[in-house]
């Protein structure tokens, strides 16, 4: 489901902006993020790089529910994190060759 996908992105990639989550999923995630915030699974914190937006990160409650203390303890954490980074890099390269500047390319 959408909620699980958003949680997976935040857990394996780390704190992310809504634009970055939208980019990875390929759809608008505003309502999903609001639902996860209301359930206490994500928390919103100021983005130190851009005061106009927030970062979304996992809560201690989510990690406890998963039985871990930190996201690095999740199964295949390093592999999945690396694959996410590779996906974002390949998409940025593809987009930049087409002359398109994406939000993800601007954030890099």
């Amino acid at each position: 489901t959408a909620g699980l996908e958003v949680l997976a992105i935040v857990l394996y990639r780390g704190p992310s902006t809504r634009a970055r989550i939208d980019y990875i999923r390929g759809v608008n995630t505003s309502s999903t993020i609001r639902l996860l915030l209301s359930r206490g699974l994500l928390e919103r914190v100021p983005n130190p790089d851009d005061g106009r937006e927030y970062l979304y990160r996992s809560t201690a409650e989510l990690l406890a529910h998963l039985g871990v203390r930190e996201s690095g303890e999740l199964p295949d954490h390093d592999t999945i994190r690396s694959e996410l980074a590779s996906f974002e890099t390949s998409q940025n390269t593809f987009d930049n060759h087409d002359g398109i500047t994406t939000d993800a390319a601007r954030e890099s």
Side-chain angles (χ1 to χ4, degrees):
T1 68
L4 291 175
E5 291 174 3
V6 170
L7 289 176
I9 291 167
V10 172
L11 285 165
Y12 283 95
R13 190 183 179 285
S16 301
T17 63
R18 188 186 57 79
R20 176 72 65 162
I21 295 167
D22 289 354
Y23 181 74
I24 293 170
R25 286 202 63 239
V27 296
N28 185 306
T29 57
S30 295
S31 61
T32 303
I33 289 174
R34 274 194 307 274
L35 178 67
L36 295 170
L37 286 166
S38 71
R39 293 192 176 169
L41 300 173
L42 289 181
E43 62 185 350
R44 184 173 77 169
V45 296
N47 183 350
D49 297 329
D50 187 345
R52 298 170 295 168
E53 62 185 357
Y54 294 96
L55 293 175
Y56 297 91
R57 66 180 183 195
S58 56
T59 62
E61 292 82 9
L62 172 60
L63 295 173
H65 181 72
L66 296 172
V68 298
R69 288 174 291 172
E70 58 185 33
S71 61
E73 297 175 13
L74 292 168
D76 300 318
H77 183 268
D78 294 336
T79 303
I80 294 171
R81 185 174 173 91
S82 172
E83 288 177 10
L84 266 173
S86 177
F87 167 78
E88 290 181 86
T89 301
S90 69
Q91 292 302 308
N92 287 339
T93 301
F94 176 77
D95 290 343
N96 290 336
H97 284 285
D98 290 342
I100 299 169
T101 305
T102 63
D103 289 339
R106 280 186 224 109
E107 291 179 9
S108 298

